[in-house]
Amino acid sequence: MGDAHRIGIVGLGFISRAYLDTLAPHPDIEVVAVADLDTSRAQEAARQLPGARQSSVEALLDASDLQTVLNLTTPAAHADIALGAIARGKHVYTEKPLADTFAGGRAVVEAAAKAGTLVGCAPDTVLGTGVQTARGALDKGLVGRPLAAQAVMVTPGHERWHPQPDFYYAQGGGPLLDMGPYYLSALVQLLGPVRAVTGAAARLRDTRVIGSGPRAGERIAVGVDTHVSGVLEHDNGALSTLTTSFDGVATTSAPIEVHGETGTLAVPDPNHFDGRVRHFPLGGTDWHELEPSAGYAGGSRGVGLLDLLHGGRPRAGGELALHVLETMTALLRSAAEGRRVTLETTAERPAPVPLTPIETWQTSWRPA
């Protein structure tokens, strides 16, 4: 592998396959160690990764032959794993959210700043051609001055398909902290940071029924709000309305719409890298689709880690992830306290992603 950047992976659950599909074959990345509390999963992953060893979590964090920890644990463990990696001088890229509490996320970002290590965090889907093409259209003034946006995520809940869904209904889960990072990261990409929020939330069912796998039919406890709505006040004066719900069956709403003085932009699902971006101009008679003009073409999970290691200000970095985490926890606090909450953090809009062919980021991207 020569000068390949060496990484270790902690957590080998459902999402790890998507990361491995991107990173394992990349010529500039070498996976040298894998760890999971379920040692059989780690052993199986190591067997499928030439040169990788199965490790305990502590041994992986201590290892001197890797530079970055890819943290794919459940949300409750995100901060502890990240802080352990940073304390040992390693960079860290974490699945979303950055932590299960705002205090935990802030501790991670502050520790990395002190140690001089890098922090990245999902989602990197917003770096794909879907959200990036929409951002480019806004930046070029296609809808005039953006005035408002709406973002909607409605599903019946992940217990229908996930065989081990307990963490979705524990602290750090729920529709807001699980799915909200996609929508809020996209809204910051499109409209810039948030300065204040007002939220409302509900939890109308105490249990959920697992729908697949060996535990199908088992009831699990619900410990978080399962429908959260809110209004976000952006620094530029635009207002966004956000709905995230595990209490609906379906919706006809576009995932995100941005309304400007001279048109509306429909933005595709920010949980995907691509998708149709549509524009309806003032005085027009119908929607028309925009050709992809920005973003990592053919993007897949892990491109945010490649971007982090490429040098420059990370587009899926800790500052943005902390701001998104505070926005979400502030919405929940607003709902609980019945008041508007002003945020402590802010974040610069990440640099836009130029249209980047899949061959560039998938095969010939040297880490800095």
Side-chain angles (χ1 to χ4, degrees), residues 148-206:
Q150 60 194 48
V152 179
M153 192 292 302
V154 175
T155 78
H158 295 344
E159 73 278 6
R160 294 170 300 121
W161 56 268
H162 199 293
Q164 303 288 343
D166 309 68
F167 69 95
Y168 289 120
Y169 296 98
Q171 181 171 304
L176 182 60
L177 266 73
D178 179 59
M179 298 299 292
Y182 298 107
Y183 293 80
L184 289 166
S185 296
L187 288 171
V188 173
Q189 285 274 351
L190 298 169
L191 299 175
V194 177
R195 65 189 180 205
V197 301
T198 304
R203 184 190 320 173
L204 299 180
R205 285 181 277 178
D206 294 330

Coordinates of all heavy atoms in Angstrom, one line a residue, residues 148-206:
A148 N -37.2 31.2 2.6 CA -37.7 30.2 3.5 C -37.4 28.8 2.9 O -37.1 28.7 1.7 CB -39.2 30.3 3.7
A149 N -37.5 27.8 3.8 CA -37.3 26.4 3.3 C -38.2 25.5 4.2 O -38.5 25.9 5.3 CB -35.9 26.0 3.4
Q150 N -38.5 24.4 3.7 CA -39.1 23.3 4.5 C -38.4 22.0 4.3 O -38.0 21.7 3.2 CB -40.6 23.3 4.2 CG -40.9 22.9 2.7 CD -42.4 23.1 2.4 OE1 -42.9 24.2 2.7 NE2 -43.0 22.2 1.8
A151 N -38.3 21.2 5.3 CA -37.7 19.9 5.3 C -38.5 18.9 6.0 O -39.0 19.2 7.1 CB -36.3 20.0 5.9
V152 N -38.8 17.8 5.3 CA -39.8 16.8 5.9 C -39.2 15.4 5.7 O -38.8 15.0 4.7 CB -41.1 16.9 5.1 CG1 -42.1 15.9 5.7 CG2 -41.7 18.3 5.2
M153 N -39.2 14.7 6.9 CA -38.8 13.3 6.9 C -39.8 12.5 7.7 O -40.0 12.8 8.9 CB -37.4 13.1 7.6 CG -36.8 11.8 7.4 SD -37.5 10.4 8.3 CE -37.5 10.9 10.0
V154 N -40.6 11.7 7.1 CA -41.7 10.9 7.7 C -41.5 9.4 7.4 O -41.5 9.1 6.2 CB -43.1 11.4 7.3 CG1 -44.1 10.5 7.9 CG2 -43.3 12.9 7.7
T155 N -41.4 8.6 8.4 CA -41.4 7.1 8.2 C -42.1 6.5 9.3 O -42.3 7.1 10.4 CB -40.0 6.5 8.1 OG1 -39.4 6.4 9.4 CG2 -39.0 7.4 7.3
P156 N -42.5 5.2 9.2 CA -43.2 4.5 10.3 C -42.2 4.1 11.4 O -42.6 3.6 12.4 CB -43.8 3.3 9.6 CG -43.8 3.5 8.2 CD -42.6 4.4 7.9
G157 N -40.9 4.2 11.2 CA -39.9 3.8 12.2 C -39.0 2.7 11.7 O -39.4 1.9 10.9
H158 N -37.7 2.8 12.1 CA -36.7 1.9 11.6 C -36.8 0.4 12.1 O -36.2 -0.5 11.6 CB -35.3 2.4 11.9 CG -35.0 3.7 11.2 ND1 -35.7 4.2 10.2 CD2 -34.0 4.6 11.5 CE1 -35.2 5.3 9.8 NE2 -34.1 5.6 10.6
E159 N -37.7 0.2 13.1 CA -37.8 -1.1 13.6 C -38.5 -2.1 12.6 O -38.4 -3.3 12.8 CB -38.7 -1.1 14.9 CG -40.2 -0.8 14.8 CD -40.5 0.6 14.6 OE1 -39.5 1.5 14.6 OE2 -41.7 1.0 14.6
R160 N -39.1 -1.5 11.6 CA -39.7 -2.4 10.6 C -38.6 -3.2 9.8 O -38.9 -4.3 9.5 CB -40.4 -1.5 9.5 CG -41.6 -0.7 10.0 CD -42.1 0.3 9.0 NE -41.0 1.2 8.7 CZ -40.5 1.4 7.5 NH1 -41.0 0.7 6.4 NH2 -39.6 2.3 7.2
W161 N -37.4 -2.6 9.7 CA -36.4 -3.3 8.8 C -35.1 -3.6 9.6 O -34.3 -4.5 9.2 CB -36.0 -2.5 7.6 CG -35.6 -1.1 7.9 CD1 -36.4 0.0 8.0 CD2 -34.3 -0.6 8.2 NE1 -35.6 1.1 8.4 CE2 -34.3 0.8 8.5 CE3 -33.0 -1.3 8.3 CZ2 -33.2 1.5 8.8 CZ3 -31.9 -0.5 8.6 CH2 -32.0 0.8 8.8
H162 N -34.8 -2.9 10.7 CA -33.5 -3.1 11.4 C -33.7 -4.2 12.4 O -34.6 -4.1 13.2 CB -33.1 -1.8 12.0 CG -31.6 -1.8 12.4 ND1 -31.1 -2.6 13.3 CD2 -30.6 -1.1 11.9 CE1 -29.8 -2.4 13.5 NE2 -29.5 -1.5 12.6
P163 N -32.8 -5.3 12.4 CA -33.0 -6.4 13.3 C -32.7 -6.0 14.8 O -33.1 -6.8 15.7 CB -32.1 -7.4 12.7 CG -31.0 -6.7 12.0 CD -31.7 -5.5 11.4
Q164 N -31.9 -5.0 15.0 CA -31.5 -4.6 16.3 C -31.8 -3.1 16.5 O -30.8 -2.2 16.6 CB -30.0 -4.9 16.5 CG -29.6 -6.3 16.3 CD -30.1 -7.2 17.5 OE1 -30.5 -6.8 18.6 NE2 -30.1 -8.5 17.2
P165 N -33.0 -2.6 16.5 CA -33.3 -1.2 16.5 C -33.4 -0.5 17.8 O -33.7 0.7 17.8 CB -34.7 -1.2 15.9 CG -35.4 -2.5 16.4 CD -34.2 -3.5 16.5
D166 N -33.0 -1.1 18.9 CA -33.1 -0.5 20.2 C -32.5 0.9 20.3 O -33.1 1.8 20.9 CB -32.5 -1.4 21.3 CG -32.9 -2.9 21.2 OD1 -32.6 -3.5 20.2 OD2 -33.6 -3.3 22.1
F167 N -31.3 1.1 19.7 CA -30.6 2.4 19.9 C -31.4 3.5 19.2 O -31.2 4.7 19.5 CB -29.2 2.3 19.4 CG -29.0 2.1 17.9 CD1 -28.8 3.2 17.1 CD2 -29.1 0.9 17.3 CE1 -28.7 3.1 15.7 CE2 -28.9 0.7 15.9 CZ -28.7 1.8 15.1
Y168 N -32.3 3.2 18.2 CA -33.0 4.3 17.6 C -34.0 4.9 18.6 O -34.5 6.0 18.3 CB -33.8 3.7 16.4 CG -32.9 3.4 15.2 CD1 -32.9 2.1 14.7 CD2 -32.2 4.3 14.6 CE1 -32.1 1.8 13.6 CE2 -31.4 4.0 13.5 CZ -31.4 2.7 13.0 OH -30.6 2.4 11.9
Y169 N -34.4 4.2 19.6 CA -35.4 4.7 20.6 C -34.7 5.0 22.0 O -35.4 5.1 23.0 CB -36.5 3.7 20.7 CG -37.2 3.6 19.4 CD1 -36.9 2.6 18.5 CD2 -38.1 4.6 19.0 CE1 -37.6 2.5 17.2 CE2 -38.8 4.5 17.7 CZ -38.5 3.5 16.9 OH -39.1 3.5 15.6
A170 N -33.4 5.1 22.0 CA -32.7 5.4 23.2 C -32.1 6.8 23.0 O -32.1 7.4 21.9 CB -31.6 4.4 23.5
Q171 N -31.5 7.4 24.0 CA -30.8 8.7 23.9 C -29.8 8.7 22.8 O -29.0 7.8 22.6 CB -30.1 9.1 25.2 CG -29.4 10.4 25.2 CD -28.9 10.9 26.5 OE1 -29.6 10.9 27.5 NE2 -27.6 11.2 26.5
G172 N -29.9 9.7 22.0 CA -29.1 9.8 20.8 C -29.8 9.3 19.5 O -29.3 9.5 18.4
G173 N -31.0 8.7 19.7 CA -31.8 8.2 18.6 C -33.0 9.1 18.4 O -33.0 10.3 18.7
G174 N -34.1 8.4 17.9 CA -35.3 9.1 17.5 C -35.2 9.7 16.2 O -34.1 9.8 15.6
P175 N -36.2 10.2 15.6 CA -36.2 10.7 14.2 C -35.3 11.9 14.1 O -34.7 12.1 13.0 CB -37.6 11.0 13.9 CG -38.3 11.3 15.2 CD -37.6 10.3 16.1
L176 N -35.2 12.7 15.1 CA -34.4 14.0 15.0 C -32.9 13.7 15.0 O -32.2 14.1 14.1 CB -34.8 15.0 16.1 CG -34.1 16.3 16.0 CD1 -34.4 17.0 14.7 CD2 -34.4 17.2 17.2
L177 N -32.4 13.0 16.0 CA -31.0 12.8 16.1 C -30.5 11.7 15.1 O -29.3 11.7 14.7 CB -30.6 12.4 17.5 CG -30.1 13.7 18.4 CD1 -31.3 14.5 18.7 CD2 -29.3 13.3 19.6
D178 N -31.4 10.8 14.7 CA -31.0 9.8 13.7 C -31.0 10.4 12.3 O -30.0 10.3 11.6 CB -31.8 8.6 13.8 CG -31.4 7.5 12.8 OD1 -30.3 7.1 12.8 OD2 -32.3 7.2 11.9
M179 N -32.1 10.9 11.9 CA -32.3 11.4 10.5 C -32.1 12.9 10.4 O -31.8 13.4 9.3 CB -33.7 11.0 10.0 CG -34.0 9.5 10.0 SD -32.8 8.6 8.9 CE -33.4 9.2 7.3
G180 N -32.3 13.6 11.4 CA -32.1 15.1 11.4 C -30.8 15.6 10.8 O -30.7 16.6 10.1
P181 N -29.7 14.9 11.1 CA -28.4 15.4 10.6 C -28.3 15.5 9.1 O -27.7 16.4 8.6 CB -27.4 14.3 11.1 CG -28.0 13.8 12.4 CD -29.5 13.8 12.1
Y182 N -29.0 14.6 8.4 CA -29.1 14.7 6.9 C -29.7 16.0 6.5 O -29.2 16.8 5.7 CB -29.8 13.6 6.3 CG -29.3 12.2 6.5 CD1 -29.9 11.3 7.4 CD2 -28.1 11.8 5.9 CE1 -29.3 10.1 7.7 CE2 -27.6 10.5 6.1 CZ -28.2 9.7 7.0 OH -27.7 8.4 7.2
Y183 N -30.9 16.3 7.1 CA -31.7 17.5 6.7 C -31.0 18.8 7.2 O -31.0 19.8 6.4 CB -33.1 17.3 7.2 CG -33.8 16.2 6.5 CD1 -33.6 14.8 6.9 CD2 -34.6 16.4 5.4 CE1 -34.2 13.8 6.2 CE2 -35.2 15.3 4.7 CZ -35.0 14.0 5.1 OH -35.6 13.0 4.5
L184 N -30.5 18.8 8.4 CA -29.9 20.0 8.9 C -28.6 20.3 8.3 O -28.3 21.5 8.0 CB -29.8 19.9 10.4 CG -31.1 19.9 11.2 CD1 -31.0 19.5 12.6 CD2 -31.7 21.3 11.1
S185 N -27.8 19.3 8.0 CA -26.6 19.5 7.3 C -26.8 20.1 5.9 O -26.1 21.0 5.4 CB -25.8 18.2 7.2 OG -25.4 17.7 8.4
A186 N -27.9 19.6 5.3 CA -28.3 20.1 3.9 C -28.7 21.5 4.0 O -28.4 22.4 3.2 CB -29.3 19.2 3.3
L187 N -29.5 21.8 5.1 CA -30.0 23.2 5.2 C -28.9 24.2 5.5 O -28.9 25.3 5.0 CB -31.1 23.3 6.3 CG -32.4 22.6 6.0 CD1 -33.3 22.6 7.3 CD2 -33.2 23.4 4.9
V188 N -27.9 23.8 6.2 CA -26.7 24.7 6.4 C -26.0 24.8 5.1 O -25.5 25.9 4.8 CB -25.8 24.1 7.6 CG1 -24.6 25.0 7.7 CG2 -26.6 24.2 8.9
Q189 N -25.8 23.7 4.4 CA -25.2 23.8 3.1 C -25.9 24.8 2.2 O -25.3 25.6 1.5 CB -25.2 22.5 2.4 CG -24.2 21.5 2.9 CD -22.8 21.6 2.3 OE1 -22.6 22.4 1.3 NE2 -21.8 20.9 2.8
L190 N -27.2 24.8 2.2 CA -28.0 25.6 1.3 C -28.2 27.1 1.8 O -28.1 28.0 1.0 CB -29.4 25.0 1.1 CG -29.4 23.6 0.5 CD1 -30.8 22.9 0.7 CD2 -29.0 23.6 -0.9
L191 N -28.4 27.2 3.1 CA -28.8 28.5 3.6 C -27.9 29.1 4.7 O -28.1 30.3 5.1 CB -30.2 28.5 4.2 CG -31.4 28.0 3.3 CD1 -32.7 27.9 4.0 CD2 -31.5 29.1 2.2
G192 N -26.9 28.3 5.1 CA -26.0 28.8 6.1 C -26.5 28.4 7.5 O -27.5 27.8 7.8
P193 N -25.7 28.9 8.6 CA -25.9 28.4 9.9 C -27.2 28.9 10.5 O -27.9 29.9 10.0 CB -24.7 29.0 10.7 CG -24.3 30.1 9.9 CD -24.6 29.8 8.4
V194 N -27.6 28.3 11.7 CA -28.8 28.6 12.4 C -28.5 29.4 13.6 O -27.5 29.1 14.3 CB -29.5 27.3 12.8 CG1 -30.8 27.6 13.6 CG2 -29.8 26.5 11.5
R195 N -29.3 30.4 13.9 CA -29.0 31.2 15.1 C -30.0 31.0 16.3 O -29.6 31.2 17.4 CB -29.0 32.7 14.8 CG -30.4 33.2 14.4 CD -30.3 34.7 13.8 NE -31.6 35.2 13.4 CZ -31.8 36.2 12.5 NH1 -30.7 36.7 11.9 NH2 -32.9 36.6 12.2
A196 N -31.2 30.5 16.0 CA -32.2 30.2 17.0 C -33.2 29.2 16.5 O -33.4 29.1 15.3 CB -32.8 31.5 17.5
V197 N -33.9 28.5 17.5 CA -34.9 27.5 17.1 C -36.1 27.6 18.0 O -35.9 28.0 19.2 CB -34.3 26.1 17.1 CG1 -33.1 26.0 16.2 CG2 -33.9 25.7 18.5
T198 N -37.2 27.1 17.5 CA -38.4 26.9 18.3 C -38.9 25.6 18.0 O -39.2 25.3 16.8 CB -39.4 28.0 18.1 OG1 -38.9 29.3 18.3 CG2 -40.7 27.8 19.0
G199 N -39.2 24.7 18.9 CA -39.5 23.3 18.6 C -40.8 22.8 19.4 O -41.2 23.4 20.4
A200 N -41.3 21.7 18.9 CA -42.4 21.0 19.5 C -42.2 19.5 19.3 O -41.7 19.1 18.2 CB -43.8 21.4 19.0
A201 N -42.5 18.7 20.2 CA -42.2 17.3 20.1 C -43.2 16.4 20.8 O -43.9 16.9 21.8 CB -40.8 17.0 20.7
A202 N -43.4 15.2 20.4 CA -44.4 14.3 21.0 C -43.8 12.8 21.0 O -43.0 12.5 20.2 CB -45.7 14.3 20.2
R203 N -44.3 12.1 22.0 CA -44.0 10.6 22.1 C -45.3 10.0 22.5 O -45.7 9.9 23.7 CB -42.9 10.4 23.1 CG -42.5 9.0 23.3 CD -41.6 8.8 24.5 NE -40.6 9.9 24.7 CZ -39.9 10.0 25.8 NH1 -39.9 9.1 26.8 NH2 -39.1 11.0 25.9
L204 N -46.0 9.4 21.5 CA -47.3 8.9 21.8 C -47.4 7.4 21.9 O -48.5 6.8 22.2 CB -48.3 9.4 20.7 CG -48.4 10.9 20.5 CD1 -49.3 11.2 19.4 CD2 -48.9 11.5 21.8
R205 N -46.3 6.7 21.7 CA -46.3 5.2 21.9 C -45.1 4.9 22.8 O -44.0 5.4 22.6 CB -46.2 4.5 20.6 CG -47.4 4.5 19.8 CD -47.3 3.8 18.5 NE -46.6 4.7 17.4 CZ -46.3 4.2 16.2 NH1 -46.6 3.0 15.9 NH2 -45.8 5.1 15.3
D206 N -45.4 4.0 23.8 CA -44.3 3.6 24.8 C -43.5 2.4 24.3 O -42.4 2.2 24.8 CB -45.0 3.2 26.1 CG -45.7 4.4 26.8 OD1 -45.2 5.5 26.6 OD2 -46.7 4.1 27.5

